[in-house]
């Protein structure tokens, strides 16, 4: 089994890259989805989130109100660190469990770990054979967030500033995907990345 870490800043197009890699046969584990699951009422991090942040982050259905939680932590570095200390270990445990299950089912699988905060948690947190970073200029990313997600420009810049820098992400990369252009350009970059991933695959019988 080959495990590749995939990361990129908000608005970089990382989720699109993950989808394109899945179309080529990769099994994608999305850490954001896992984070949502572990903070659901039945999840392993739910009680700790409530204990730290209180009823203000509880939605009408009893789950975590993610926009309310985001509003709290993005403007408060200490709160963001507290949330990360709660959620990251729970996410890591679940990701490792899923990796073990995939390996048991198909030892030739190519697994992509889609982890937005890979720089923050450290690439050594997961057993990755390589790391792909999706990179785009900040102005391009901000424009995408404003046009595609309805963020205000100030909000988009604040979200970007709360994450690792482009330089920090590129420093942990084994391969960088440039997503400063259009979708055709991105497809070509993913084609190049997939060829690189195939080079990490150990031939059967070796």
């Amino acid at each position: 089994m080959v495990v590749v870490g995939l990361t990129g800043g908000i608005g970089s197009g990382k989720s699109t890259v993950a989808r394109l890699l899945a179309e080529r046969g990769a099994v994608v584990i999305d850490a954001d989805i896992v984070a949502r699951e572990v903070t659901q009422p039945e999840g392993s991090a739910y009680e700790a989130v409530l204990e730290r942040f209180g009823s203000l982050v509880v939605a009408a259905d009893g789950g975590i109100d993610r926009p309310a939680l985001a509003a709290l932590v993005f403007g408060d570095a200490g709160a963001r660190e507290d949330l990360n200390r709660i959620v990251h270990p729970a996410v890591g445990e679940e990701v490792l469990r899923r990796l073990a299950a995939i390996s048991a089912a198909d030892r030739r699988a190519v697994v992509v770990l889609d982890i937005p905060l890979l720089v923050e948690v450290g690439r050594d947190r997961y057993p990755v054979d390589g790391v792909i970073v999706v990179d785009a200029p900040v102005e391009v990313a901000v424009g995408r967030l404003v046009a595609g997600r309805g963020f205000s420009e100030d909000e988009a810049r604040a979200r970007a500033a709360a994450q690792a820098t482009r330089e920090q992400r590129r420093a942990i990369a084994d391969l960088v995907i440039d997503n400063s252009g259009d979708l055709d350009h991105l497809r070509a970059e993913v084609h190049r990345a997939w060829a690189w991933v195939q080079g990490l695959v150990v031939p059967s019988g070796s």
Side-chain angles (χ1 to χ4, degrees):
M1 183 173 74
V2 170
V3 181
V4 177
L6 175 68
T7 194
I10 188 169
S12 67
K14 176 183 55 62
S15 296
T16 302
V17 170
R19 175 176 58 79
L20 293 173
L21 290 171
E23 289 176 0
R24 291 175 177 267
V27 179
V28 176
I29 299 176
D30 187 330
D32 270 351
I33 293 175
V34 176
R36 291 188 188 100
E37 292 172 354
V38 300
T39 54
Q40 290 300 306
E42 67 279 7
S44 58
Y46 178 77
E47 293 297 336
V49 171
L50 288 192
E51 183 177 344
R52 168 60 181 83
F53 295 100
S55 60
L56 291 177
V57 300
V58 179
D61 62 0
I64 298 297
D65 185 335
R66 290 175 63 84
L69 182 58
L72 283 176
V73 303
F74 276 109
D76 184 333
R80 188 163 63 249
E81 290 174 4
D82 288 345
L83 179 64
N84 288 341
R85 277 196 293 268
I86 294 168
V87 174
H88 285 169
V91 170
E93 182 178 340
E94 177 60 18
V95 167
L96 292 177
R97 186 193 68 76
R98 294 186 187 190
L99 283 174
I102 293 167
S103 179
D106 181 6
R107 297 189 63 84
R108 299 178 63 187
V110 173
V111 182
V112 171
L113 300 183
D114 180 349
I115 303 176
L117 302 182
L118 187 58
V119 171
E120 289 83 346
V121 302
R123 65 176 284 167
D124 294 339
R125 172 73 67 91
Y126 299 102
V128 296
D129 299 295
V131 171
I132 296 173
V133 169
V134 185
D135 184 59
V138 172
E139 294 303 319
V140 172
V142 167
R144 289 173 180 155
L145 294 173
V146 172
R149 299 200 200 176
F151 285 15
S152 69
E153 183 172 342
D154 286 346
E155 182 181 14
R157 292 187 185 280
R159 293 292 183 98
Q163 296 184 335
T165 65
R166 291 176 69 193
E167 291 74 21
Q168 288 172 321
R169 282 189 291 269
R170 292 174 71 100
I172 70 164
D174 296 299
L175 183 139
V176 175
I177 287 179
D178 169 43
N179 190 21
S180 59
D182 60 15
L183 184 57
D184 286 340
H185 172 77
L186 182 59
R187 289 185 184 278
E189 286 287 279
V190 170
H191 178 78
R192 178 175 64 87
W194 186 248
W196 174 78
V197 170
Q198 295 306 298
L200 301 175
V201 176
V202 177
S204 177
S206 63

